[in-house]
Amino acid sequence: MAKKKKRKEKKESKKTEKTKKKKQEKKTGKKVKKKKKQEKKTETKGKKEKKGKKTKKKIEELIILGSGCAGMTAAIYAARADLEPLLLAGPEKGGQLIWTTKVENYPGFPEGIDGTKLTELFRKQAERFGTKVIDDKAVSFEAKKTYFNIGTEKESFKAKAVIIATGARAKMLGLKSEQKYFGRGVSTCASCDAYFFKGKDVVVVGGGDSACTEALFMAKLDINVTIIHRRDKLRASKIMQERVFKNKKIEMIWDSVVEEVLGDGTMVTGVKIKNVKTGKTKKIKCAAMFLAIGHKPNTEIFKDKIKMDNKGFIIAEDTKTNIKGVFAAGDVQDPVYKQAVTAAGSGCKAALEAEGYLAESKQ
C-alpha cells in the first residue's frame, strides 16, 4: 500500500511539473511574441519616420563646371588647397582639346602631345589631389541666399562657390564631310594647326576680324591662303582689311559658300564651293580648311542670371563675375585668345579667387 501511495505521489508530482513547465512555456512564448510584435512596431515606425524625413543634401565648398584646361587647372589648385572640389565634366570630357590631334604649343611637351591624352593627364592630376569628377553636365543654375544650386541631368548639387569653365564651341558649317575631316585638315584654330601646313595651300572661311587674323598669321608661315566669304565685302575692321588686301599670300573668293569638304579618306584634299549669286559650283585644291565664323560660348543656363556681352561671353574681372562667389575661367569669358595655355592660366586665377572668397566667408 505504501509503495502504491509513493508511486501515485511521484506520478502526480511529475504531472504538476509538466503542467508548470507548459504554463511557463506558454507565458514565455507570449512574452517573446509580444516582444517581437513590439520590435516590429518600432521598426515600422522607424521606417515611416525615415521615409518622412528628407536626407539633408551636403553643401560642397566648390563646384567646378567643365573639364577643359581651365576647369581641370582650377580643380588641381582647389584640391591642393584642401577645398575638395566637385567637378562636373560636361558633355565634352576634356573640352575642345579632344578634337586636336596634336598639341604643339603647350609647355612641357617638346615633341607635342595628342589632345585627348593631354586632357586625360589633366584629369589624373586633379583626381590625385582629391578632386571628385562626375561625368555629367549642368543643366540649371540658381543662386540662393547662402549657396548655389546646380542641377544636372541626373541629380542636383549645392555649393558655397562655383567656377564656370564650360568653354566655347567654334561655329561649324554643318556639313557631314566637315565632321569627317575634323582634325584631319579641317580646323578652327590657325595658331594651333597652321604649322602643319607650311608651304601649302589652305582656305579660310569667314569675313570678320577672326578670319583676317587667321589668314595673316598663316601667310607669315609661307602658307598660301584663300579667304572664302559669302558676301561681296568683308565685315572686318578697316585696318584688318587693308592688311589682308596688301598681302600677296592672300587671295579672296567673294559671294561663295563651301558645299563640301573633299578628301582622300585620310586628309583634306580640297573643297567644293558654290557662288550664291550665280549658283555655279567649282572645286578648289587645298590641304586644309580653317573655319573662322565665330565661337558660341556655353552659357545658356546662365542667361539673365550672370552678366554677359552681346555674344554670350561672361563678363569677368580677374575671373570674378557680377555674382559674389561665382567665378568664370577659360574660353567662356575669353572672346579673344581662346588658347589652352591662357585657359589654364585663368583656371588657376579662378581657383585662387574662390579660395580667398571661401576663407573670407568663414570669418
Side-chain angles (χ1 to χ4, degrees), residues 229-245:
H229 187 43
R230 57 181 175 169
R231 296 192 176 94
D232 58 2
K233 58 184 177 182
L234 294 172
R235 291 180 290 106
S237 56
K238 273 192 176 184
I239 192 163
M240 291 301 283
Q241 289 190 45
E242 283 170 14
R243 286 173 186 169
V244 164
F245 296 147

Side-chain angles (χ1 to χ4, degrees), residues 16 34 52 69 75 89 123 134 136 143 149 168 173 175 193 198 200 218 235 246 252 292 301 334 342 346 350:
T16 307
K34 198 175 181 183
C69 296
R123 180 165 177 158
I134 295 175
D136 201 356
N149 198 65
L173 299 173
L175 306 170
D193 302 325
K198 273 188 171 183
K200 296 180 180 179
M218 288 190 281
R235 291 180 290 106
K246 282 178 185 176
M252 297 295 309
I301 66 169
D334 175 17
T342 53
S346 69

Side-chain angles (χ1 to χ4, degrees), residues 48-59:
K48 280 182 181 178
E49 280 175 5
K50 201 175 179 182
K51 199 178 178 182
K53 197 178 179 182
K54 285 185 178 179
T55 311
K56 203 173 181 181
K57 192 88 177 175
K58 179 191 172 186
I59 299 180

Side-chain angles (χ1 to χ4, degrees), residues 332-348:
V332 78
Q333 52 83 61
D334 175 17
V336 182
Y337 301 104
K338 300 183 282 290
Q339 297 297 305
V341 72
T342 53
S346 69
C348 164

Side-chain angles (χ1 to χ4, degrees), residues 101-115 195-196:
T101 49
K102 202 171 187 183
V103 181
E104 292 195 319
N105 56 2
Y106 198 87
F109 302 95
E111 302 303 316
I113 184 169
D114 177 78
Y195 182 83
F196 303 113

Side-chain angles (χ1 to χ4, degrees), residues 290-314:
F290 287 84
L291 295 163
I293 52 177
H295 282 74
K296 187 178 172 63
N298 301 314
T299 53
E300 289 86 353
I301 66 169
F302 310 108
K303 196 179 177 183
D304 301 325
K305 295 169 186 177
I306 292 173
K307 202 174 179 182
M308 303 178 197
D309 66 13
N310 59 358
K311 289 180 181 176
F313 286 93
I314 291 173

